[in-house]
Amino acid sequence: MIFETGLTRSNLDCFCQFTTPTVKSQFLPKSEIRKLNRLWHPWERENVEYFTLSDLWSCYDEWSAYGAGVPIVLDDGETLVQYYVPYLSAIQIFTSNSPAREDTESGDGERDSFSDWSSEESESDKLWRWDGCSSEDGGSDQDSFLHVNNRLGYLYFQHFERATPYGRIPLMDKINGLCGRYPGLMSLRSVDLSPASWMAVAWYPIYHIPMGRTVKDLSACFLTYHTLSSSFQDMDLEDDIESTGRKREEGDGISLPPFGLATYKMQGDVWVSGNSGRDREKLVSLLSVADSWLKQLRVQHHDFDYFTGIRRG
């Protein structure tokens, strides 16, 4: 009966709620707090909560195998549960430390690594803008996009999926296949990552329960964007304490709701009929934020282009 609480929300809210990972968390030892990058964690706090990337991927383990169930109310009042499988669409991880050359060179033709990407870009393009920093503010070290004292940090890993949806493997399988070459995908902590670290998850529908009805709107696909750094969680910590009326305890879990979202094959009003019309505004806002994020980091996200109808020559 877990879905009953979700049915009081709009369908769009339910999708966001039931596909948002809540990651097992820990508190950083006080001796480690002093070592944090102060550009990324400028606040003095008694407790700093974090999660490991391995625990984040664990949230997608069951979803990758069976799908994430999203409760939906149809126009005629009928309810069903639509299942979505997550796929890793894009990810960029920036850290304080320069990656070792052997960790960043890919031999399979995928554009996962710094070395693959840097060969395509001009020197000026390697110096990205972050939080008001212009391209001239960074250095030109061949082993990094920006010097370590800049807000962006060093690119440890990136992947932009190019395969067709039918040629992809679920998110957990993809991560398991990559972590042998990039062990940081399991060991890195959210406090080790710069605010520029992010991932996008593509959600494709597989089936709904009860079966037997063909609802065109249930063929909709979603693209959710999530930050990976504790920097943003630090900013939300005080609000969370105020809303719950208590201090967070270790193991409460850190929720990573999408900050951006794009859709594909969305037809009808099933996803935008709730919240007195505000869902449509929410979709427009989330799409705009995702677009701004990609432009700020100067990246081309292939799934975003496809979902939004952008065709590049």
Side-chain angles (χ1 to χ4, degrees):
M1 306 299 290
I2 186 173
F3 298 120
E4 289 187 356
T5 56
L7 295 178
T8 61
R9 296 173 175 262
S10 73
N11 291 331
L12 181 60
D13 285 342
C14 279
F15 175 83
C16 293
Q17 175 188 356
F18 286 93
T19 59
T20 289
T22 298
V23 194
K24 181 177 67 174
S25 64
Q26 306 172 57
F27 282 128
L28 200 64
K30 297 210 182 323
S31 59
E32 292 287 317
I33 294 177
R34 293 189 293 270
K35 301 177 183 177
L36 293 178
N37 185 322
R38 289 304 171 188
L39 283 174
W40 302 346
H41 304 279
W43 301 277
E44 292 293 337
R45 296 192 181 279
E46 181 180 349
N47 294 311
V48 173
E49 195 174 17
Y50 74 95
F51 61 85
T52 63
L53 289 185
S54 61
D55 284 334
L56 170 60
W57 310 134
S58 294
C59 295
Y60 291 92
D61 193 8
E62 185 173 333
W63 292 343
S64 296
Y66 306 107
V70 178
I72 295 172
V73 181
L74 302 180
D75 293 337
D76 60 5
E78 181 184 353
T79 61
L80 53 80
V81 179
Q82 176 70 52
Y83 285 83
Y84 286 85
V85 172
Y87 298 84
L88 182 64
S89 174
I91 185 170
Q92 287 187 310
I93 295 177
F94 296 89
T95 68
S96 291
N97 299 317
S98 177
R101 177 65 64 183
E102 60 268 22
D103 287 339
T104 55
E105 291 189 347
S106 171
D108 60 5
E110 285 188 334
R111 300 187 183 278
D112 291 340
S113 68
F114 166 81
S115 57
D116 288 332
W117 199 11
S118 63
S119 64
E120 298 179 354
E121 303 293 328
S122 67
E123 190 66 31
S124 61
D125 285 339
K126 296 175 188 175
L127 305 174
W128 287 350
R129 184 182 300 114
W130 177 255
D131 195 22
C133 298
S134 69
S135 60
E136 290 78 22
D137 290 333
S140 58
D141 186 348
Q142 290 290 340
D143 291 326
S144 66
F145 281 94
L146 294 181
H147 285 314
V148 70
N149 62 353
N150 195 282
R151 287 183 181 273
L152 196 59
Y154 289 100
L155 179 65
Y156 171 74
F157 174 81
Q158 71 169 358
H159 172 76
F160 293 92
E161 186 58 73
R162 297 170 182 263
T164 62
Y166 297 106
R168 302 183 184 190
I169 58 176
L171 187 147
M172 195 65 205
D173 298 319
K174 185 71 174 181
I175 292 296
N176 285 335
L178 292 168
C179 65
R181 222 171 1 159
Y182 302 95
L185 286 176
M186 289 295 180
S187 61
L188 283 169
R189 308 169 299 176
S190 57
V191 289
D192 301 323
L193 309 183
S194 94
S197 300
W198 63 285
M199 71 171 179
V201 179
W203 299 88
Y204 295 109
I206 48 175
Y207 62 87
H208 55 262
I209 297 177
M211 302 287 286
R213 286 197 53 177
T214 300
V215 183
K216 286 194 300 183
D217 222 25
L218 297 186
S219 63
C221 308
F222 294 85
L223 193 59
T224 58
Y225 290 79
H226 308 264
T227 60
L228 300 176
S229 172
S230 291
S231 300
F232 293 104
Q233 296 142 27
D234 284 346
M235 290 189 288
D236 294 336
L237 189 58
E238 297 298 339
D239 292 338
D240 185 68
I241 292 175
E242 288 183 13
S243 63
T244 60
R246 68 176 181 85
K247 291 186 176 180
R248 289 184 59 82
E249 301 292 339
E250 188 164 28
D252 277 352
I254 297 174
S255 180
L256 299 178
F259 70 83
L261 185 145
T263 64
Y264 180 64
K265 290 186 177 180
M266 183 173 285
Q267 308 171 48
D269 296 325
V270 167
W271 294 104
V272 292
S273 59
N275 286 334
S276 302
R278 291 191 296 273
D279 280 341
R280 195 178 299 275
E281 297 175 6
K282 182 176 180 178
L283 275 178
V284 171
S285 176
L286 288 170
L287 179 65
S288 176
V289 172
D291 184 45
S292 297
W293 178 268
L294 296 173
K295 287 177 178 176
Q296 185 176 15
L297 288 180
R298 294 185 182 179
V299 296
Q300 179 186 345
H301 182 194
H302 311 289
D303 279 352
F304 182 84
D305 290 349
Y306 189 83
F307 273 45
T308 56
I310 299 173
R311 298 294 179 260
R312 302 182 189 270

